Each structure stands twice: as C-alpha cells, then as structure tokens.
Amino acid sequence: MRQSHPPLRSYGRLKTRTIKPRQAALMETLLPALRPPSGAFDPRALMPGAAGVWLEIGFGGGEHMAAQAGLHPDTLVLGAEPFQNGVASALRHIDEAGLTNVRVLDGDVRELMARLPDASLDRVFVLFPDPWPKTRHHKRRILQADSVADLARLLKPGGRLRFASDVAHYVDWALALVLANPAFRWTAVQASDWRAPPADHITTRYEEKRLGDCAPVFLDFLRGQPAVL
C-alpha cells in the first residue's frame, strides 16, 4: 500500500476571490465529467488509443495545459491544481477550445499520482510552482525526494520531466533533487538549453509577470531505463 499524504499546505486560501458566474457554472457542470476516477485507474482507459499521457502538476490558470492539449489532440492530458480559481479558469479554457482530451483533479496531485500505475506517463510538467522561499517552508515544495521517486515510477523509460521556475534557489533545489535520483538524466548540453524556453513551451500570463528573482529557467530531464537487478 502506498503511503498516504497529509493535506497539501499551500499559500493563502484555496479560493482567493469570487469565481465569475460562468466559471462557477462550469465548476458545477463540466468539472464532474473531467475528474479522474476515484481509486486506482489506468489513464489510457480514459482515452483508448491515446498516443501518450501527460501530467501537469499545478496548472495555475490552465493556459499551458489547455494549449498543449489543443496542439496534441491525440494525447491525454491530466492536470491537478488545488486552487479553485485556477481550476475555474482552466475549465473556461477547456470549454472555449472544445477540448475532449483533458482530465482535471481539483486537489492534491500526490493523491492522483498514488492512484496511477507504474510507467503510465509519457511527460510531466512542473511549471513555476509555489517557491515557498523561507527555509522553514522548503518542506512544502512540491518537489521533494519522495515526489521525484514517484515521478520516476510513473514515467515510462524515455519519458520526460520538465521543471521551470524564476526563483533561483528553487531551480538549484530542483536540479539537485532530480539528479540525485539515478532514474533521471538532465538533457542540457549548453547554457541556452536552460536559459531559452523550449520550442514547445507555451508562455503564460503568470510567467510574463516575472515575479521571481531570476529569468525563467527550464530544466528538461529524461527518464532512463530501469536498473537491471
């Protein structure tokens, strides 16, 4: 049995402002149809014949998630976000684009990850997560040794993990944590590989605000073959 997790601790409240009427209606009508099943499940059963399964952890307002789903209609895109305002925004993007290849968990991604089978994901995105800058709060960052181990379990050999942040300490933290897991290899060979947005990156309004202390950094990792015992 996989370990259960304490409730997710996050900045402020899970709802920071009143949700607009149209988005509130989508929370009632569309969200129930997009939530992943409760209990363990195989994501490919949600979209038979999918070319791949991607996961975005903490999708914010859903701009990147919806845009990637629109560009890759043959791929199932899973997303998890605990903030109600972000979920409501994502639902608007999904509804306006008429997307049918997105599933949304309005909650703790760790609970979703625990329900997925091994080697069930092709790509994972962790883009501009809450940095929890104070040292005593670092334990609340979404990337920890155990969550990296979970991602190693979930990604197929050859699968890819992308982390992006504009907080220098979090970039260093993420790079050290991921590389400490032998399942992952950093794909960068030159500075432009982490300084320039990847060709398939979708820039969001949040990213454009540049709220961090450095220019955005993009770290792409490759999931290697499992060790032979």
Side-chain angles (χ1 to χ4, degrees):
M1 180 180 295
R2 297 192 180 100
Q3 183 179 2
S4 61
H5 297 282
L8 184 67
R9 297 291 299 274
S10 49
Y11 280 129
R13 295 165 292 174
L14 293 183
K15 184 171 72 173
T16 58
R17 62 185 182 277
T18 301
I19 296 174
K20 296 177 181 179
R22 180 189 170 197
Q23 295 180 6
L26 291 173
M27 295 281 282
E28 296 294 327
T29 59
L30 182 58
L31 179 58
L34 297 185
R35 285 191 182 110
S38 59
F41 71 99
D42 184 344
R44 290 187 180 275
L46 303 179
M47 186 176 167
V53 181
W54 297 1
L55 170 65
E56 182 162 347
I57 296 175
F59 54 69
E63 293 171 86
H64 177 273
M65 177 178 66
Q68 292 286 9
L71 290 171
H72 303 276
D74 59 346
T75 297
L76 175 64
V77 180
L78 307 175
E81 171 61 59
F83 293 97
Q84 294 182 41
N85 298 92
V87 173
S89 173
L91 293 175
R92 177 177 63 83
H93 290 300
I94 293 168
D95 184 60
E96 288 179 349
L99 302 174
T100 60
N101 59 325
V102 182
R103 299 294 181 271
V104 173
L105 175 69
D106 50 329
D108 187 343
V109 70
R110 297 174 301 175
E111 299 305 321
L112 174 62
M113 291 164 63
R115 303 204 305 266
L116 295 175
D118 295 357
S120 57
L121 301 178
D122 297 273
R123 293 193 74 177
V124 175
F125 299 93
V126 186
L127 306 179
F128 303 93
D130 287 340
W132 291 107
K134 295 181 180 180
T135 301
R136 69 176 183 272
H137 292 157
H138 287 176
K139 62 185 178 182
R140 298 179 185 174
R141 289 175 169 175
I142 189 62
L143 276 193
Q144 304 288 341
D146 59 349
S147 61
V148 172
D150 282 340
L151 293 175
R153 177 184 69 82
L154 292 172
L155 277 165
K156 297 176 181 178
R160 291 182 176 267
L161 165 64
R162 175 172 297 163
F163 175 89
S165 179
D166 55 4
V167 177
H169 184 271
Y170 205 174
V171 171
D172 293 341
W173 167 284
L175 184 60
L177 272 178
V178 178
L179 291 183
N181 189 307
F184 289 104
R185 177 176 64 83
W186 189 21
T187 62
V189 296
Q190 56 192 11
S192 61
D193 291 334
W194 67 82
R195 290 176 178 168
D200 62 348
H201 176 64
I202 307 296
T203 302
T204 65
R205 286 176 295 173
Y206 177 85
E207 180 185 341
E208 290 175 340
K209 293 178 181 179
R210 298 294 179 96
L211 299 177
D213 59 7
C214 70
V217 175
F218 300 87
L219 306 177
D220 276 358
F221 302 95
L222 182 68
R223 172 66 167 94
Q225 295 290 335
V228 177
L229 301 179

